[in-house]
Amino acid sequence: MIELTARLTTGTVYLAGEALECCITFCHTTQPEHRDSQSHSDILENLAWASAQIHCFFSTSKNTNEKTSTVEKTTSLEVTSCDIGDVVFHTKPKILFCDLTIPLGETKTFWYRESLPMEAPPSYRGSLVKYSYKVTIATQKVGSHIRMARIPFRVLPISPIMNMQDLAALCGNETTDELQPTNPFSEERKVETPLTMALQVLQNLTARRSPNSYMITNTRGKVGRFCLFKSAYKLGEDIVGTFDFSVGTVVCMQVSVSLQPEEIIKKKTPTKNINKESSSRLMTVARFHEVTLGLTHSQLILPIPLHITPAFDTDEVSLNWRLHFEFVTTNEKLLPSTEDKDWNAPLNVPIETMVWNLSVKIYSTLPKQIMQTGGNDAYKMVIK
């Protein structure tokens, strides 16, 4: 038998526009129970061909419920849909070899390299839809079915604003001075590719501080002031803000802040009998909660998880992010003053809860920041 082993040597997380590299080995081994009874035909194994390509699968919650099995055998190399979902993007197959003979105990190694397009949709697992990427390695023995091995990996969007026609104009309007010092006497000049230009723009967008203050009020008066130091963040950063309740005329007992996705399904996506609005807004990926009774100031620190998908927009779905605030307020006097000698805490407090949503922009980070938290295991498949 032949054992196929594949490993992504450049990691498992990529930005749209980056190059992927996969090491694929074919090893001719024998089963332990057949080691003493080998014939001449067992010494050599022949493979007709092998190829590799990238597939992006799109599925809805309806597709996921209907399809549960995994297909490894097929009679055609072209894949348009399968149990994983419909193919919305794929690269051209690259032939690794034709008519390969492997003697017993030997190993043959091949390399597959491919670049992802800048406009490729990102990996995403939402409440209604899912995008997933696989490196599909197909091979076939003469007279046998085609066997496929699929290696999953993650793709991050470079940015929802990275339209290739507008990128040059955007870079011209941005402050493009690099944050790291450069040598003005160096003769080497960096070649500006669309990917490096996009990364530079993202760095400028997320590094810039632009504090914005918001006065929070309800029907009874002012609750407080909230200050957000910037509105654009990268994965893994902390959303930092401050609350100032000293300017309020209404007592704020507690506050909670949630980071929530806004998943908007396009009309042509087949998601019937699903409440799109409620399904996307009930999900919370990070939460901050604090009792603020008696406080004049408070600080918000909300980490952005590395596993979430940054904002993007495709033909099937668009994703945005927001901060969902909940303030619990009351008009009752809950704290004693210096003149109150016999003060008792009230048994019941009439409260009023107010909600507020604030949009934030979340962009991708460098893949190496994410790959430090996960491994890069090899995937194996036995071809008999």
Side-chain angles (χ1 to χ4, degrees):
M1 64 180 184
I2 295 180
E3 185 179 75
L4 184 153
T5 304
R7 181 192 297 272
L8 296 175
T9 58
T10 47
T12 57
V13 183
Y14 299 87
L15 285 169
E18 280 193 316
L20 174 147
E21 187 176 86
C22 181
C23 179
I24 306 168
T25 60
F26 296 85
C27 181
H28 183 188
T29 62
T30 183
Q31 299 180 6
E33 60 270 17
H34 296 160
R35 288 179 179 175
D36 298 332
S37 58
Q38 295 180 358
S39 62
H40 178 73
S41 60
D42 296 331
I43 298 178
L44 298 176
E45 282 280 9
N46 295 301
L47 291 175
W49 57 268
S51 68
Q53 66 180 134
I54 295 174
H55 285 101
C56 176
F57 297 95
F58 172 78
S59 61
T60 65
S61 56
K62 181 180 179 180
N63 299 136
T64 304
N65 295 331
E66 291 179 353
K67 303 172 182 179
T68 56
S69 62
T70 301
V71 176
E72 288 189 355
K73 297 181 179 181
T74 183
T75 57
S76 175
L77 181 60
E78 182 178 0
V79 178
T80 57
S81 64
C82 64
D83 59 323
I84 303 177
D86 298 327
V87 177
V88 294
F89 161 77
H90 66 87
T91 59
K92 293 182 178 180
K94 290 187 177 181
I95 302 300
L96 301 177
F97 60 81
C98 290
D99 191 15
L100 176 67
T101 300
I102 307 178
L104 181 63
E106 291 192 8
T107 299
K108 301 293 184 180
T109 302
F110 301 88
W111 292 89
Y112 170 68
R113 298 176 180 87
E114 187 64 83
S115 295
L116 294 165
M118 294 280 291
E119 63 275 9
S123 301
Y124 175 62
R125 189 182 185 92
S127 58
L128 299 177
V129 299
K130 175 184 177 182
Y131 286 101
S132 60
Y133 277 85
K134 312 283 184 181
V135 175
T136 303
I137 303 169
T139 187
Q140 184 180 24
K141 296 178 67 174
V142 177
S144 301
H145 291 283
I146 297 175
R147 299 295 305 275
M148 290 187 179
R150 294 193 176 101
I151 306 175
F153 64 97
R154 182 182 177 188
V155 176
L156 297 174
I158 191 62
S159 173
I161 61 172
M162 288 303 135
N163 186 314
M164 292 298 99
Q165 298 178 352
D166 300 334
L167 185 57
L170 181 61
C171 288
N173 295 332
E174 292 289 330
T175 303
T176 57
D177 295 335
E178 295 187 3
L179 299 181
Q180 298 180 354
T182 58
N183 184 1
F185 302 101
S186 176
E187 296 182 357
E188 297 181 359
R189 297 186 62 182
K190 297 181 180 179
V191 179
E192 291 290 343
T193 64
L195 179 60
T196 57
M197 293 171 64
L199 289 175
Q200 187 173 342
V201 173
L202 286 182
Q203 179 66 20
N204 294 337
L205 289 174
T206 55
R208 180 184 302 149
R209 292 171 62 97
S210 57
N212 293 308
S213 294
Y214 306 89
M215 184 62 70
I216 305 162
T217 61
N218 60 11
T219 56
R220 301 181 182 274
K222 297 180 181 178
V223 178
R225 180 187 291 113
F226 175 70
C227 179
L228 189 65
F229 297 111
K230 64 177 185 176
S231 59
Y233 303 87
K234 292 187 294 187
L235 295 181
E237 287 189 328
D238 292 339
I239 299 176
V240 180
T242 58
F243 294 97
D244 182 6
F245 299 107
S246 63
V247 299
T249 58
V250 179
V251 177
C252 182
M253 299 181 61
Q254 65 180 19
V255 60
S256 65
V257 185
S258 303
L259 180 61
Q260 297 180 345
E262 291 184 295
E263 185 182 85
I264 302 175
I265 307 299
K266 304 298 178 66
K267 292 182 180 181
K268 66 178 182 179
T269 303
T271 54
K272 297 181 180 180
N273 301 325
I274 297 178
N275 189 337
K276 303 175 184 178
E277 188 73 12
S278 61
S279 298
S280 62
R281 290 177 181 255
L282 291 178
M283 185 186 302
T284 296
V285 300
R287 185 185 297 272
F288 166 86
H289 178 270
E290 186 172 18
V291 176
T292 57
L293 181 62
L295 299 180
T296 58
H297 294 82
S298 180
Q299 186 178 27
L300 165 69
I301 301 179
L302 188 65
I304 301 175
L306 289 171
H307 69 269
I308 68 173
T309 302
F312 69 93
D313 186 12
T314 64
D315 294 336
E316 295 81 15
V317 61
S318 64
L319 180 70
N320 297 304
W321 290 93
R322 71 177 188 182
L323 294 176
H324 178 73
F325 294 80
E326 294 185 7
F327 298 92
V328 178
T329 62
T330 182
N331 283 336
E332 298 294 322
K333 182 181 178 182
L334 301 179
L335 298 177
S337 62
T338 56
E339 299 177 356
D340 295 333
K341 296 181 180 180
D342 298 327
W343 179 85
N344 294 320
L347 298 177
N348 298 306
V349 179
I351 63 172
E352 180 180 338
T353 302
M354 63 169 294
V355 297
W356 175 49
N357 297 318
L358 178 62
S359 298
V360 292
K361 298 177 182 178
I362 297 181
Y363 297 102
S364 300
T365 187
L366 294 179
K368 63 181 181 180
Q369 303 295 332
I370 300 178
M371 288 189 294
Q372 293 176 354
T373 62
N376 185 15
D377 298 330
Y379 292 82
K380 296 183 179 182
M381 181 180 69
V382 176
I383 307 171
K384 295 182 179 180

